[in-house]
Amino acid sequence: MFCDCFYWNQENSELEWDSSESKPFSLPSPLPRWPQGTGFATGKINLGEIQVVKVTEFDRVWKCSKSRGGKTRCASFYKPVGIPEGFHCLGHYCQANNQPLRGFVLAARANHPDKDDHRPALKKPVNYTLVWSSDSDCYFWLPNPPVGYKAVGVIVTDEAEEPDTEEVRCVREDLTETCETRERILGVGSFNVWSTEPCSRGIWSRGVAVGSFFCSTNHNKADMNISCLKNLDPTLQGMPNLDQVHALIQHYGPTVYFHPEETYLPSSVPWFFKNGALLYRFGKPGGEPINSTGSNLPSGGQNDGSYWIDLPQEDEEATNNLKKGNIESSELYVHVKPALGGIFTDVVMWIFCPFNGPATLKIGLLTVPMNRIGEHVGDWEHFTFRISNFNGELTQMFFSQHSGGGWVDVSDLEFVKGSNKPVVYSSKHGHASFPHPGMYLQGSSKLGIGVRNDVGKSEFVVDSSQRQRYRVVAAEYLGEGVVLEPCWLQYMREWGPTIVYDSAAEIDKIINLLPLIVRFSIENLFPIALYGEEGPTGPKEKDNWEGDEIC
């Protein structure tokens, strides 16, 4: 069945100086009332000695429009307003003008303001340093913190007079973490503005992004003089409990479309095992049947090449049946983990396909399907949706695309009509994830040469929000025994054999189609293994299992 879907799409425009504001974005449907818990979706998050709230209401201070040459990036700078009584501003916010107003900054208060008068958690700055000004209508100020404290944000004014020290708070050094620049938002001559994020990110990292920005007149970004916050609450009370996790998945679980010409569909892992997949061991002939739960797979350790899973090569009918997959049995395997110090929750959904089909190349106007290049047994792909722990709102999605991928803001997602459930498109044969239908080229867009990723709607669809279609397999922060991990998740070896392609004829065909000037760069043009590849590993062997997503 086809779902009735739409996506938000705000066209970029040449923004000039005017009084208009970026329009705030809101999800298509209201948020539900989440099940009762401890600190999730309560509006405040405890970080140990300080408590923070998320501020999303702003007054615009300054807007930089495009220069006549069109080289200056458009951006606006905002002062947070409506900060709750007792909380203090930590910095101002900025974003590009060609997107809905979606950002936030944190405001903070000390949990025990009278505990230590000599070393309070928050202190006013001593004064400010003027970083840069623009034609006497905008001034960027860096708070100068007292000894033992750190600035965690920058403020912007429309007056040359130095701001009052009451405007912002600095944070005691032991309550902060180092941060780094992420995306350049504005560049005006030697002046540049970047968004920031904690240097260390992942399950065990505790750096908390404040939502402010870093600016400098020095192109060397290493001169970072602001910090992030640090979550010192060992219980991570802002994270959802298991009931709340299920509610989040049932509210936001994406609908996954496979290509209408897809030959190699997903299946559940137990179906793959029960229908003939075999475990092989180095130095031993033949393969061993695998229990449906994977209980006889080697557990733990590392991928040392001793074991691998393969199709039953002696049984052609069973092999072809396994390659096709079984979408009726397929399910999403969910890993829930803290992100950015526990102020966000990442819900990672892994999908398994027994077989990855051959690639299709694009060389100029030509489409060149491969016979074997790109094939391998056992294909694990994933996508991630990121939830704000302040209110349970969806903020971003990560779409995994082979060895990379990218984050997409919620305002640019496609949703199933009448819901807050995003749509995910899985590419033909390769199963990479994309936010919208069409053709995505991995390679050189300038030359029009690379690997095609074709995606579109079809009757091959999996609704991950349905309880029978997903399984929570890991949530380490909930503690031991709350989520029982399946046996097969502990299998750290390869889910397919190492393959050597007998592809000389195919490669010669590719080379003959390429322009002479790029024929000697063939391996750099196509982001796939042309001569063979090792078998893929399972979810726990991926860097993003404990770390952040890799773009």
Short mmCIF file of all heavy atoms in Angstrom, two decimals, residues 259 358-369 402 427-430 432 434 438-443 448-455 526-528:
data_model
loop_
_atom_site.label_atom_id
_atom_site.label_comp_id
_atom_site.label_asym_id
_atom_site.label_seq_id
_atom_site.Cartn_x
_atom_site.Cartn_y
_atom_site.Cartn_z
N HIS A 259 12.77 0.48 -3.04
CA HIS A 259 12.58 0.83 -4.44
C HIS A 259 11.60 -0.14 -5.11
O HIS A 259 11.59 -1.34 -4.80
CB HIS A 259 13.93 0.79 -5.17
CG HIS A 259 13.91 1.43 -6.52
ND1 HIS A 259 13.58 0.73 -7.66
CD2 HIS A 259 14.16 2.71 -6.91
CE1 HIS A 259 13.64 1.54 -8.70
NE2 HIS A 259 13.99 2.76 -8.27
N PRO A 358 24.17 -5.76 -6.83
CA PRO A 358 25.22 -5.07 -7.59
C PRO A 358 24.91 -3.59 -7.76
O PRO A 358 23.74 -3.18 -7.77
CB PRO A 358 25.22 -5.81 -8.93
CG PRO A 358 23.84 -6.39 -9.04
CD PRO A 358 23.43 -6.74 -7.65
N ALA A 359 25.97 -2.80 -7.90
CA ALA A 359 25.83 -1.35 -8.04
C ALA A 359 25.40 -0.98 -9.45
O ALA A 359 25.55 -1.76 -10.40
CB ALA A 359 27.15 -0.68 -7.69
N THR A 360 24.88 0.22 -9.57
CA THR A 360 24.60 0.83 -10.87
C THR A 360 25.39 2.13 -10.95
O THR A 360 25.29 2.97 -10.06
CB THR A 360 23.10 1.11 -11.04
OG1 THR A 360 22.37 -0.12 -10.97
CG2 THR A 360 22.83 1.77 -12.38
N LEU A 361 26.20 2.26 -12.00
CA LEU A 361 27.06 3.43 -12.15
C LEU A 361 26.41 4.43 -13.10
O LEU A 361 25.62 4.07 -13.97
CB LEU A 361 28.43 3.03 -12.68
CG LEU A 361 29.18 1.93 -11.91
CD1 LEU A 361 30.58 1.77 -12.48
CD2 LEU A 361 29.24 2.24 -10.42
N LYS A 362 26.79 5.70 -12.90
CA LYS A 362 26.37 6.76 -13.81
C LYS A 362 27.63 7.39 -14.37
O LYS A 362 28.51 7.83 -13.63
CB LYS A 362 25.53 7.80 -13.07
CG LYS A 362 24.99 8.91 -13.97
CD LYS A 362 24.13 9.87 -13.18
CE LYS A 362 23.47 10.92 -14.07
NZ LYS A 362 24.46 11.79 -14.74
N ILE A 363 27.73 7.41 -15.69
CA ILE A 363 28.87 8.02 -16.36
C ILE A 363 28.31 9.01 -17.38
O ILE A 363 27.88 8.63 -18.47
CB ILE A 363 29.76 6.97 -17.04
CG1 ILE A 363 30.25 5.94 -16.00
CG2 ILE A 363 30.94 7.62 -17.74
CD1 ILE A 363 31.02 4.78 -16.60
N GLY A 364 28.24 10.26 -16.98
CA GLY A 364 27.61 11.26 -17.82
C GLY A 364 26.13 10.96 -17.97
O GLY A 364 25.40 10.82 -16.99
N LEU A 365 25.67 10.82 -19.21
CA LEU A 365 24.27 10.52 -19.47
C LEU A 365 24.00 9.02 -19.46
O LEU A 365 22.84 8.61 -19.58
CB LEU A 365 23.86 11.11 -20.83
CG LEU A 365 23.94 12.64 -20.95
CD1 LEU A 365 23.59 13.07 -22.37
CD2 LEU A 365 23.02 13.31 -19.95
N LEU A 366 25.05 8.21 -19.33
CA LEU A 366 24.90 6.76 -19.40
C LEU A 366 24.66 6.16 -18.03
O LEU A 366 25.26 6.58 -17.03
CB LEU A 366 26.14 6.12 -20.02
CG LEU A 366 26.49 6.52 -21.47
CD1 LEU A 366 27.79 5.87 -21.89
CD2 LEU A 366 25.35 6.13 -22.41
N THR A 367 23.77 5.18 -17.98
CA THR A 367 23.56 4.37 -16.79
C THR A 367 24.11 2.98 -17.06
O THR A 367 23.73 2.34 -18.05
CB THR A 367 22.07 4.28 -16.43
OG1 THR A 367 21.61 5.59 -16.06
CG2 THR A 367 21.84 3.33 -15.27
N VAL A 368 25.04 2.53 -16.18
CA VAL A 368 25.76 1.28 -16.43
C VAL A 368 25.54 0.32 -15.26
O VAL A 368 26.18 0.46 -14.21
CB VAL A 368 27.26 1.53 -16.63
CG1 VAL A 368 27.97 0.24 -17.05
CG2 VAL A 368 27.51 2.63 -17.65
N PRO A 369 24.62 -0.65 -15.39
CA PRO A 369 24.44 -1.63 -14.31
C PRO A 369 25.61 -2.62 -14.27
O PRO A 369 26.08 -3.09 -15.31
CB PRO A 369 23.13 -2.32 -14.69
CG PRO A 369 23.00 -2.14 -16.16
CD PRO A 369 23.69 -0.87 -16.51
N HIS A 402 25.85 3.97 3.20
CA HIS A 402 27.04 3.12 3.07
C HIS A 402 28.02 3.48 4.20
O HIS A 402 27.69 3.31 5.36
CB HIS A 402 27.63 3.24 1.68
CG HIS A 402 26.60 3.02 0.59
ND1 HIS A 402 25.91 1.83 0.48
CD2 HIS A 402 26.12 3.83 -0.37
CE1 HIS A 402 25.06 1.93 -0.54
NE2 HIS A 402 25.16 3.14 -1.06
N SER A 427 17.68 2.82 -0.89
CA SER A 427 18.12 2.81 -2.28
C SER A 427 18.12 1.40 -2.87
O SER A 427 18.32 0.40 -2.18
CB SER A 427 19.52 3.41 -2.41
OG SER A 427 20.48 2.60 -1.75
N LYS A 428 17.89 1.34 -4.17
CA LYS A 428 17.84 0.08 -4.91
C LYS A 428 19.15 -0.68 -4.78
O LYS A 428 20.22 -0.14 -5.06
CB LYS A 428 17.52 0.36 -6.37
CG LYS A 428 17.44 -0.88 -7.25
CD LYS A 428 17.19 -0.50 -8.69
CE LYS A 428 17.20 -1.72 -9.61
NZ LYS A 428 17.03 -1.34 -11.02
N HIS A 429 19.07 -1.92 -4.32
CA HIS A 429 20.18 -2.87 -4.19
C HIS A 429 21.13 -2.55 -3.04
O HIS A 429 21.63 -3.45 -2.38
CB HIS A 429 21.00 -2.97 -5.48
CG HIS A 429 20.27 -3.68 -6.58
ND1 HIS A 429 20.86 -3.97 -7.78
CD2 HIS A 429 19.00 -4.13 -6.68
CE1 HIS A 429 19.99 -4.59 -8.58
NE2 HIS A 429 18.84 -4.69 -7.92
N GLY A 430 21.42 -1.24 -2.77
CA GLY A 430 22.40 -0.90 -1.75
C GLY A 430 21.83 -0.57 -0.40
O GLY A 430 22.55 -0.55 0.60
N ALA A 432 20.97 2.15 1.06
CA ALA A 432 21.30 3.39 1.75
C ALA A 432 20.02 4.19 1.98
O ALA A 432 19.05 4.06 1.24
CB ALA A 432 22.30 4.20 0.92
N PHE A 434 17.72 7.71 2.44
CA PHE A 434 17.62 9.08 1.96
C PHE A 434 16.28 9.69 2.38
O PHE A 434 15.30 8.96 2.59
CB PHE A 434 17.76 9.13 0.44
CG PHE A 434 19.13 8.70 -0.04
CD1 PHE A 434 19.38 7.37 -0.36
CD2 PHE A 434 20.17 9.61 -0.14
CE1 PHE A 434 20.63 6.96 -0.78
CE2 PHE A 434 21.43 9.21 -0.56
CZ PHE A 434 21.66 7.89 -0.89
N GLY A 438 14.06 10.11 -5.52
CA GLY A 438 14.88 10.66 -6.60
C GLY A 438 16.12 9.82 -6.83
O GLY A 438 16.21 8.66 -6.44
N MET A 439 17.12 10.43 -7.48
CA MET A 439 18.40 9.78 -7.71
C MET A 439 19.49 10.58 -7.02
O MET A 439 19.62 11.79 -7.22
CB MET A 439 18.68 9.68 -9.22
CG MET A 439 19.88 8.77 -9.57
SD MET A 439 21.52 9.55 -9.37
CE MET A 439 21.53 10.66 -10.78
N TYR A 440 20.28 9.91 -6.19
CA TYR A 440 21.39 10.54 -5.48
C TYR A 440 22.69 9.96 -6.01
O TYR A 440 22.85 8.74 -6.05
CB TYR A 440 21.29 10.30 -3.97
CG TYR A 440 20.06 10.92 -3.32
CD1 TYR A 440 18.82 10.29 -3.39
CD2 TYR A 440 20.15 12.14 -2.66
CE1 TYR A 440 17.70 10.85 -2.80
CE2 TYR A 440 19.03 12.70 -2.06
CZ TYR A 440 17.81 12.06 -2.13
OH TYR A 440 16.71 12.62 -1.55
N LEU A 441 23.60 10.83 -6.42
CA LEU A 441 24.87 10.39 -6.99
C LEU A 441 25.96 10.45 -5.93
O LEU A 441 26.18 11.48 -5.30
CB LEU A 441 25.25 11.28 -8.17
CG LEU A 441 26.51 10.88 -8.93
CD1 LEU A 441 26.28 9.58 -9.69
CD2 LEU A 441 26.94 12.00 -9.88
N GLN A 442 26.64 9.32 -5.74
CA GLN A 442 27.82 9.29 -4.87
C GLN A 442 29.03 9.23 -5.76
O GLN A 442 29.30 8.22 -6.41
CB GLN A 442 27.76 8.10 -3.93
CG GLN A 442 26.74 8.28 -2.82
CD GLN A 442 26.81 7.16 -1.82
OE1 GLN A 442 26.36 6.06 -2.11
NE2 GLN A 442 27.37 7.42 -0.66
N GLY A 443 29.78 10.31 -5.80
CA GLY A 443 30.93 10.41 -6.69
C GLY A 443 31.16 11.87 -7.02
O GLY A 443 31.07 12.74 -6.15
N GLY A 448 29.44 14.28 -13.21
CA GLY A 448 28.30 13.40 -13.42
C GLY A 448 28.69 11.94 -13.45
O GLY A 448 28.09 11.13 -14.16
N ILE A 449 29.72 11.60 -12.64
CA ILE A 449 30.24 10.23 -12.62
C ILE A 449 30.20 9.72 -11.19
O ILE A 449 30.65 10.39 -10.26
CB ILE A 449 31.69 10.19 -13.15
CG1 ILE A 449 31.74 10.64 -14.61
CG2 ILE A 449 32.29 8.80 -13.00
CD1 ILE A 449 33.14 10.76 -15.17
N GLY A 450 29.67 8.53 -11.01
CA GLY A 450 29.63 7.94 -9.67
C GLY A 450 28.66 6.78 -9.61
O GLY A 450 28.28 6.19 -10.62
N VAL A 451 28.26 6.45 -8.38
CA VAL A 451 27.32 5.36 -8.13
C VAL A 451 25.92 5.94 -7.97
O VAL A 451 25.72 6.89 -7.21
CB VAL A 451 27.72 4.57 -6.86
CG1 VAL A 451 26.69 3.48 -6.57
CG2 VAL A 451 29.11 3.95 -7.03
N ARG A 452 24.96 5.38 -8.69
CA ARG A 452 23.57 5.81 -8.57
C ARG A 452 22.94 5.23 -7.31
O ARG A 452 23.14 4.05 -7.00
CB ARG A 452 22.76 5.35 -9.77
CG ARG A 452 23.06 6.05 -11.08
CD ARG A 452 22.15 5.52 -12.17
NE ARG A 452 20.75 5.81 -11.87
CZ ARG A 452 20.00 6.68 -12.55
NH1 ARG A 452 20.53 7.36 -13.55
NH2 ARG A 452 18.73 6.88 -12.25
N ASN A 453 22.19 6.05 -6.61
CA ASN A 453 21.32 5.59 -5.53
C ASN A 453 19.91 6.01 -5.90
O ASN A 453 19.54 7.18 -5.75
CB ASN A 453 21.73 6.20 -4.19
CG ASN A 453 23.02 5.62 -3.66
OD1 ASN A 453 23.03 4.60 -3.00
ND2 ASN A 453 24.14 6.28 -3.97
N ASP A 454 19.14 5.08 -6.42
CA ASP A 454 17.77 5.38 -6.85
C ASP A 454 16.78 5.01 -5.75
O ASP A 454 16.82 3.88 -5.23
CB ASP A 454 17.44 4.59 -8.12
CG ASP A 454 18.26 5.07 -9.31
OD1 ASP A 454 17.93 6.13 -9.86
OD2 ASP A 454 19.25 4.40 -9.67
N VAL A 455 15.91 5.95 -5.41
CA VAL A 455 14.93 5.71 -4.34
C VAL A 455 13.56 6.18 -4.78
O VAL A 455 13.43 7.13 -5.56
CB VAL A 455 15.34 6.41 -3.02
CG1 VAL A 455 16.63 5.83 -2.48
CG2 VAL A 455 15.49 7.91 -3.22
N PHE A 526 34.57 6.33 -7.97
CA PHE A 526 33.46 5.48 -7.55
C PHE A 526 33.68 5.04 -6.10
O PHE A 526 34.64 4.32 -5.80
CB PHE A 526 33.35 4.26 -8.46
CG PHE A 526 33.13 4.62 -9.91
CD1 PHE A 526 34.15 4.53 -10.83
CD2 PHE A 526 31.90 5.08 -10.33
CE1 PHE A 526 33.95 4.88 -12.15
CE2 PHE A 526 31.68 5.42 -11.66
CZ PHE A 526 32.72 5.33 -12.57
N PRO A 527 32.80 5.48 -5.17
CA PRO A 527 32.98 5.16 -3.74
C PRO A 527 32.54 3.74 -3.39
O PRO A 527 31.79 3.53 -2.45
CB PRO A 527 32.10 6.22 -3.07
CG PRO A 527 31.02 6.48 -4.06
CD PRO A 527 31.65 6.34 -5.41
N ILE A 528 32.98 2.76 -4.18
CA ILE A 528 32.72 1.36 -3.89
C ILE A 528 33.97 0.57 -4.18
O ILE A 528 34.88 1.04 -4.87
CB ILE A 528 31.55 0.78 -4.74
CG1 ILE A 528 31.84 0.98 -6.24
CG2 ILE A 528 30.23 1.39 -4.36
CD1 ILE A 528 30.86 0.26 -7.14
#
